[in-house]
Amino acid sequence: MNYAVIYNVLGELLTFLALLMLIPLFVAFYYGDSPVPFAAAVVITGTLGLVLSRKYSAQGEWKIKEGFAIVALGWLSVAVFGSIPYVLDGISPVNALFESMSGFTTTGATIMQDIESHSRSILFWRCMTQWLGGMGIIMIFIAILPKLGVAGRQLFRAEAPGPTEDKLKPRIRGTARILWTVYVFISVVQAVALRLAGMSYYDAITHTFTTMSTGGFSPYGPGIAGFNDPLIEGIIVVFMFIAGANFALHYRVLYVDRNSFIKDEEFKFYTVIILLATLVLTFSLWKDMGQTVETAFRYAVFQVVSITTTTGYASADFDIWSDSARIVLLAVMFIGGSAGSTAGGVKAVRILLLLKYGKNVLFKALHPKAIKPVKYNSKAVPEEIMQSIVSFVVIYMMIFAISTGILALMGMDLISSITASIATLGNIGPGFNAVGPMANFDVVPFLGKLLLIANMWIGRLEVFTVIVMLTPEFWKD
Amino acid sequence: MNYAVIYNVLGELLTFLALLMLIPLFVAFYYGDSPVPFAAAVVITGTLGLVLSRKYSAQGEWKIKEGFAIVALGWLSVAVFGSIPYVLDGISPVNALFESMSGFTTTGATIMQDIESHSRSILFWRCMTQWLGGMGIIMIFIAILPKLGVAGRQLFRAEAPGPTEDKLKPRIRGTARILWTVYVFISVVQAVALRLAGMSYYDAITHTFTTMSTGGFSPYGPGIAGFNDPLIEGIIVVFMFIAGANFALHYRVLYVDRNSFIKDEEFKFYTVIILLATLVLTFSLWKDMGQTVETAFRYAVFQVVSITTTTGYASADFDIWSDSARIVLLAVMFIGGSAGSTAGGVKAVRILLLLKYGKNVLFKALHPKAIKPVKYNSKAVPEEIMQSIVSFVVIYMMIFAISTGILALMGMDLISSITASIATLGNIGPGFNAVGPMANFDVVPFLGKLLLIANMWIGRLEVFTVIVMLTPEFWKD
Ligand SMILES: [K+]
Ligand SMILES: [K+]
């Protein structure tokens, strides 16, 4: 293992984080908030970053192990140093780390009891961490991991834009730059739309941060429900839907082929899931909750898109809805958004391929000698990719089950334990009962918070990246 | 499709069923109950059986499709005609079919409100249907389906006892005879043990019927809890454990190699799951419910073995236990017993192979070029078998999710909808809340009962056998 290169890259990452923290520092000056939390964070993070990146050399080989370590430890370090402003704002260290990890992983679960009691600049930083996390995750999964040859990522590599030279760095740089442009471009469009719909600049920017990253934070306690404005809800639904689709696909649509959406099987499947869930939920709200069809549809479409894309915004307190309505949301929690998006969850493409696999075996049961590979976007899916999908789901469900069991042993009720686990592992944010959309995660006991922090980290990096580091194999040379 | 052979075999099956119904008829005479329900059932079933088997010829090819149709429709027909005694006893047709399907599939879910209000002979028949169903399922999965070349069954074929000539019928006959001997032998041992422990002959026989089949019915409302006897509980734990293990393995241990148990990976995994779950449940009952360690262990081991083997007996009302205790039981509900046993659920071997698959992919993430197949009992597992396992789990979970959703839309609460679905699909019997061990399924609305009847049928035949019949492909010639 080439430790020097790991320290070097982590140092560069922290230096970059320190520079980004200058933005909330300016916001603090603008609103007359105390600049101390951000000034101190910039100094601490920047100093450590510079020391690390100078002391350790970036020379030497980058192999798969170093790639994993950098991604997993990089995310952890950013969350730890990103929590400094919260600590200096008076939040306890574990709560600060929870909030920071929830931000950078775009989970959106919060431990803040009274959100508006915090300063405008702290709340700006909180939303900004999600936007940065969303950008980071797209880069990692479309630009970095596929180039490292991580199993199962090849499927999406073919779709990823960017030059195809053989040297690693230029390829990563090129793809990253393109994705960065697309992400910023769509974000600007959303912020303008929200401003035109009547939001202040501050509200438009912070909510754009947390929509595009499917993060779900808001500087206000009631979140989107507080605006109670169908136009704003409509705009947010559209941009959540975009953020939950593959950004490599957005690039193709914008720059290569306008018909890419209708050619992409995952995009179609993702759309069908949302339409179907909206239909069932509208029916359920109309039947069980006595709402008019119009109101039922308005709330259904918002909540379905919000939960499927794992944003976690709530335009209504869905925790008090009937059990049939809550089951629809629980189902889409497990599915999640598209690969290569900012969304969490298992991802539509994995579910789609598993379903195709199942259909294929039914066919083979009747025709044992037939050879019929699973096809995706007109190409045969290599066995290797099916293996990685299956193991992903197996490990994901195991972590989910263990997490649920531990929370229940700590005294949380069944529904809260189940939904707190899936809401953090799938980077969704709110669950039901004790961790519902109008509640907060401060009720979780101390050790439970550490568990949920780990869930968010593991879930965001799609399990393998973190889990391989726990195998003895990883540390052998 | 060779319809004649299907009708012929169904006819033979019904004739055989009519003969078996003579047994509860004798029991009715013995206890002075009305003989009408059984006499009429024998006449109706026997007449139809004879007509079908005479009218249609058994000549012609048996192919995979005919095999599937016979297994799936055979099970359905037996359940339908086995419900005649209940209908003549005054139970409504849908409830009678529910009870009969629950019996023959060894599920053990009941719609009877006051069990003791029914006659001794009806309750004897009810337990006997489970014993017959248990025998049937072992035959189908060890003797019949592997010989038909059903995907994924080859794994267990290697382990199955019996002559290996090339002609189909003698092989099936030979294997079936051996399994029949083992099943009857172990049943006799259990009945004698229960009689010696103080049960009446009637109680010993009926409870042996429902232990060996992992069925879970009892002629008494409180079931095993009513005996409140640690010795009886202990005997039943041992025989549930045996019934939940592979009967081909029992054959090997009895007749071939006494060390077969410790050589079999599934058996070891099945044992570890039970030990681990018992440990956690004992801890949970001690901590949350304030029980002594001794009492906690007594209830934990019984309930864990009962639910893991999908028997569904309760020695305590586990529905009033704490949520952490209920989560342990919910987890083992999904796992189930061993392949080639009378147990339901996903089965230990499938979970084990999925975990090995997951571990393998973690290894491959670090060594992308390494070739390392998943091994089971020292042999490499063919890709085809992994495929069938994955599709099994995918289709199983889909049916589970759809069933849960439909029950919730019918107005059942979340926990009841979830556990009623898994309890019927996994052939377990009781769930939690409205369908807990001390409650009954009569609260489920009419259409919900039909859904659960389908769940029991589909789950018992391990999904594919029924699901392939729903594909248009199946009916094409
Ligand atoms: K989120
Ligand atoms: K059962």
Side-chain angles (χ1 to χ4, degrees):
Chain A
M1 183 82 84
N2 184 347
Y3 289 97
V5 80
I6 297 176
Y7 293 133
N8 175 273
V9 177
L10 290 185
E12 281 189 15
L13 199 61
L14 291 181
T15 311
F16 186 53
L17 180 67
L19 289 176
L20 289 167
M21 283 170 165
L22 293 173
I23 298 172
L25 182 62
F26 292 135
V27 174
F29 282 123
Y30 181 83
Y31 285 108
D33 299 339
S34 159
V36 176
F38 298 106
V42 168
V43 172
I44 298 171
T45 311
T47 309
L48 186 71
L50 286 174
V51 167
L52 277 176
S53 60
R54 301 264 155 130
K55 189 169 166 204
Y56 293 97
S57 149
Q59 297 304 311
E61 259 189 310
W62 263 61
K63 278 194 298 191
I64 292 183
K65 285 186 182 183
E66 286 78 8
F68 279 127
I70 287 170
V71 168
L73 298 179
W75 216 275
L76 188 61
S77 312
V78 165
V80 168
F81 287 89
S83 74
I84 295 175
Y86 300 128
V87 174
L88 297 175
D89 191 48
I91 297 175
S92 78
V94 69
N95 277 2
L97 181 61
F98 186 98
E99 202 73 11
S100 181
M101 186 61 96
S102 176
F104 283 106
T105 58
T106 81
T107 305
T110 187
I111 44 72
M112 288 190 177
Q113 305 251 16
D114 177 8
I115 290 177
E116 285 90 341
S117 71
H118 297 273
S119 70
R120 300 278 270 176
S121 50
I122 283 286
L123 297 175
F124 183 89
W125 171 240
R126 188 166 162 266
C127 293
M128 186 177 151
T129 59
Q130 296 205 317
W131 194 72
L132 296 175
M135 184 70 242
I137 213 65
I138 295 175
M139 299 267 197
I140 284 179
F141 283 105
I142 304 183
I144 302 179
L145 291 188
K147 316 282 160 154
L148 290 175
V150 175
R153 285 283 135 200
Q154 299 90 327
L155 186 63
F156 318 118
R157 182 167 55 185
E159 310 298 324
T164 49
E165 296 92 302
D166 251 351
K167 282 174 199 158
L168 197 66
K169 275 209 166 173
R171 274 201 294 164
I172 292 183
R173 288 261 162 86
T175 310
R177 197 173 305 122
I178 288 168
L179 293 171
W180 173 254
T181 315
V182 172
Y183 191 68
V184 172
F185 171 74
I186 303 178
S187 297
V188 170
V189 175
Q190 187 192 354
V192 170
L194 288 179
R195 178 75 187 92
L196 291 178
M199 274 192 176
S200 70
Y201 281 112
Y202 180 87
D203 291 354
I205 292 172
T206 50
H207 286 97
T208 294
F209 279 161
T210 59
T211 306
M212 287 314 298
S213 57
T214 68
F217 274 156
S218 164
Y220 307 104
I224 304 302
F227 292 96
N228 194 19
D229 181 335
L231 178 60
I232 287 176
E233 288 171 25
I235 293 170
I236 287 177
V237 162
V238 169
F239 285 92
M240 288 193 294
F241 180 76
I242 292 172
N246 193 334
F247 275 78
L249 189 62
H250 293 322
Y251 162 81
R252 291 190 71 79
V253 171
L254 287 172
Y255 296 105
V256 183
D257 175 6
R258 237 149 264 282
N259 294 323
S260 295
F261 281 144
I262 53 167
K263 286 181 190 162
D264 187 72
E265 286 194 54
E266 183 185 30
F267 184 78
K268 284 186 276 185
F269 185 61
Y270 162 71
T271 310
V272 166
I273 290 168
I274 286 177
L275 291 179
L276 214 66
T278 302
L279 200 73
V280 177
L281 187 54
T282 303
F283 175 75
S284 163
L285 291 178
W286 167 76
K287 182 177 158 287
D288 295 348
M289 310 288 294
Q291 296 178 351
T292 65
V293 174
E294 229 172 11
T295 317
F297 175 76
R298 173 181 160 188
Y299 290 124
V301 72
F302 189 92
Q303 258 62 227
V304 163
V305 173
S306 170
I307 298 297
T308 310
T309 62
T310 73
T311 307
Y313 281 149
S315 72
D317 184 2
F318 55 73
D319 194 39
I320 56 170
W321 287 358
S322 69
D323 273 344
S324 65
R326 296 201 301 168
I327 280 182
V328 175
L329 295 180
L330 190 60
V332 292
M333 275 189 191
F334 279 92
I335 300 174
S338 310
S341 74
T342 59
V346 170
K347 304 275 154 58
V349 67
R350 289 202 180 89
I351 306 279
L352 177 64
L353 287 177
L354 286 175
L355 291 177
K356 285 184 171 216
Y357 209 57
K359 207 180 137 199
N360 218 22
V361 170
L362 283 184
F363 177 86
K364 279 188 188 162
L366 296 173
H367 307 278
K369 283 163 195 165
I371 292 169
K372 198 188 169 205
V374 171
K375 287 198 167 188
Y376 177 68
N377 284 344
S378 316
K379 280 175 227 148
V381 178
E383 200 47 51
E384 189 189 22
I385 287 186
M386 286 313 306
Q387 283 178 6
S388 83
I389 291 177
V390 170
S391 0
F392 172 86
V393 174
V394 169
I395 300 175
Y396 194 86
M397 295 309 288
M398 252 185 64
I399 298 174
F400 163 69
I402 292 172
S403 164
T404 301
I406 293 177
L407 290 179
L409 277 178
M410 287 178 180
M412 282 182 76
D413 71 279
L414 193 58
I415 303 277
S416 301
S417 304
I418 289 175
T419 58
S421 300
I422 190 64
T424 47
L425 195 57
N427 302 116
I428 296 152
F432 300 154
N433 283 15
V435 295
M438 302 300 155
N440 68 69
F441 282 73
D442 202 30
V443 295
V444 178
F446 182 81
L447 286 173
K449 282 178 188 164
L450 293 183
L451 174 74
L452 297 182
I453 289 171
N455 277 355
M456 294 192 266
W457 182 44
I458 293 171
R460 182 71 284 183
L461 297 177
E462 305 224 323
V463 177
F464 293 126
T465 322
V466 175
I467 298 294
V468 283
M469 291 184 58
L470 304 180
T471 62
E473 194 66 33
F474 188 83
W475 301 102
K476 271 191 240 159
D477 251 330
Chain B
M1 182 82 83
N2 184 346
Y3 288 97
V5 79
I6 297 176
Y7 292 133
N8 175 273
V9 177
L10 291 185
E12 283 188 13
L13 198 62
L14 291 181
T15 311
F16 186 55
L17 180 67
L19 289 176
L20 288 167
M21 283 170 165
L22 293 173
I23 297 171
L25 183 61
F26 292 135
V27 175
F29 281 123
Y30 180 82
Y31 286 107
D33 299 338
S34 160
V36 175
F38 298 106
V42 168
V43 171
I44 297 171
T45 312
T47 309
L48 187 70
L50 286 174
V51 167
L52 277 177
S53 61
R54 301 264 155 131
K55 190 169 166 203
Y56 292 98
S57 149
Q59 299 304 312
E61 260 189 308
W62 263 62
K63 278 192 297 189
I64 292 184
K65 284 185 183 183
E66 286 79 8
F68 279 126
I70 287 169
V71 168
L73 298 179
W75 217 275
L76 188 62
S77 312
V78 166
V80 168
F81 286 89
S83 74
I84 295 175
Y86 300 129
V87 174
L88 297 176
D89 191 48
I91 297 174
S92 78
V94 68
N95 277 2
L97 181 60
F98 186 99
E99 202 73 9
S100 180
M101 186 60 96
S102 176
F104 284 106
T105 57
T106 81
T107 305
T110 187
I111 46 69
M112 288 190 176
Q113 306 251 16
D114 177 9
I115 290 176
E116 285 90 340
S117 70
H118 297 274
S119 70
R120 301 277 272 176
S121 51
I122 284 285
L123 296 176
F124 183 91
W125 171 240
R126 189 166 162 268
C127 293
M128 185 177 151
T129 57
Q130 295 206 318
W131 195 73
L132 296 175
M135 184 70 241
I137 212 65
I138 294 175
M139 300 267 197
I140 286 179
F141 283 105
I142 304 185
I144 302 178
L145 290 189
K147 316 281 162 157
L148 289 175
V150 175
R153 285 282 134 202
Q154 300 90 327
L155 186 63
F156 318 118
R157 180 167 55 184
E159 310 298 322
T164 49
E165 296 92 302
D166 249 352
K167 282 175 197 158
L168 197 66
K169 273 210 166 172
R171 274 200 293 163
I172 291 183
R173 287 260 162 87
T175 310
R177 198 174 304 121
I178 287 168
L179 292 172
W180 173 255
T181 315
V182 173
Y183 190 68
V184 171
F185 171 74
I186 304 177
S187 297
V188 170
V189 175
Q190 187 192 355
V192 170
L194 287 179
R195 178 75 186 93
L196 291 178
M199 272 191 176
S200 70
Y201 280 112
Y202 180 86
D203 291 354
I205 292 171
T206 49
H207 287 97
T208 294
F209 279 161
T210 59
T211 307
M212 288 312 298
S213 57
T214 68
F217 274 156
S218 165
Y220 306 105
I224 305 302
F227 291 96
N228 195 19
D229 181 333
L231 178 59
I232 288 177
E233 288 172 24
I235 293 170
I236 288 177
V237 163
V238 169
F239 285 92
M240 288 194 294
F241 180 75
I242 292 172
N246 193 333
F247 274 79
L249 189 62
H250 294 322
Y251 162 81
R252 291 189 71 80
V253 171
L254 287 172
Y255 298 105
V256 183
D257 175 6
R258 239 150 263 281
N259 294 322
S260 295
F261 280 144
I262 53 166
K263 287 182 191 162
D264 187 74
E265 287 194 53
E266 183 185 29
F267 184 79
K268 285 186 277 185
F269 184 62
Y270 163 71
T271 310
V272 166
I273 290 169
I274 286 177
L275 291 178
L276 213 67
T278 303
L279 200 75
V280 176
L281 187 54
T282 304
F283 175 75
S284 163
L285 290 178
W286 167 77
K287 182 176 161 285
D288 295 349
M289 310 287 293
Q291 296 179 350
T292 65
V293 174
E294 230 173 11
T295 317
F297 175 76
R298 172 182 162 189
Y299 289 125
V301 72
F302 189 93
Q303 258 62 229
V304 163
V305 173
S306 170
I307 297 296
T308 310
T309 61
T310 73
T311 308
Y313 280 149
S315 71
D317 184 3
F318 56 73
D319 194 37
I320 57 169
W321 287 356
S322 69
D323 273 344
S324 65
R326 297 202 302 168
I327 280 181
V328 175
L329 295 180
L330 190 60
V332 292
M333 274 187 191
F334 278 93
I335 300 174
S338 310
S341 74
T342 58
V346 170
K347 303 277 153 55
V349 66
R350 289 202 181 89
I351 307 279
L352 177 64
L353 287 178
L354 286 176
L355 291 177
K356 288 185 171 217
Y357 209 58
K359 209 180 135 198
N360 218 20
V361 170
L362 282 185
F363 178 85
K364 278 189 186 161
L366 296 173
H367 307 279
K369 283 163 194 166
I371 292 168
K372 198 187 169 204
V374 172
K375 287 198 165 188
Y376 175 68
N377 284 343
S378 316
K379 279 175 227 147
V381 178
E383 199 47 51
E384 189 189 23
I385 287 185
M386 287 313 307
Q387 282 178 6
S388 83
I389 290 177
V390 170
S391 359
F392 173 86
V393 175
V394 169
I395 300 176
Y396 195 86
M397 295 308 288
M398 250 185 65
I399 298 174
F400 162 71
I402 292 171
S403 164
T404 302
I406 293 177
L407 290 179
L409 276 177
M410 286 176 180
M412 284 181 76
D413 71 280
L414 192 59
I415 303 279
S416 303
S417 304
I418 289 176
T419 60
S421 300
I422 189 64
T424 48
L425 195 58
N427 303 116
I428 296 152
F432 300 153
N433 283 15
V435 296
M438 303 299 154
N440 68 69
F441 282 73
D442 202 30
V443 296
V444 178
F446 182 82
L447 286 173
K449 283 178 188 164
L450 293 182
L451 174 74
L452 296 182
I453 289 172
N455 276 355
M456 294 191 265
W457 181 44
I458 294 171
R460 182 72 284 185
L461 297 177
E462 305 226 322
V463 177
F464 292 126
T465 323
V466 176
I467 298 295
V468 281
M469 292 183 56
L470 304 180
T471 63
E473 194 67 33
F474 188 84
W475 301 102
K476 269 190 239 158
D477 251 327

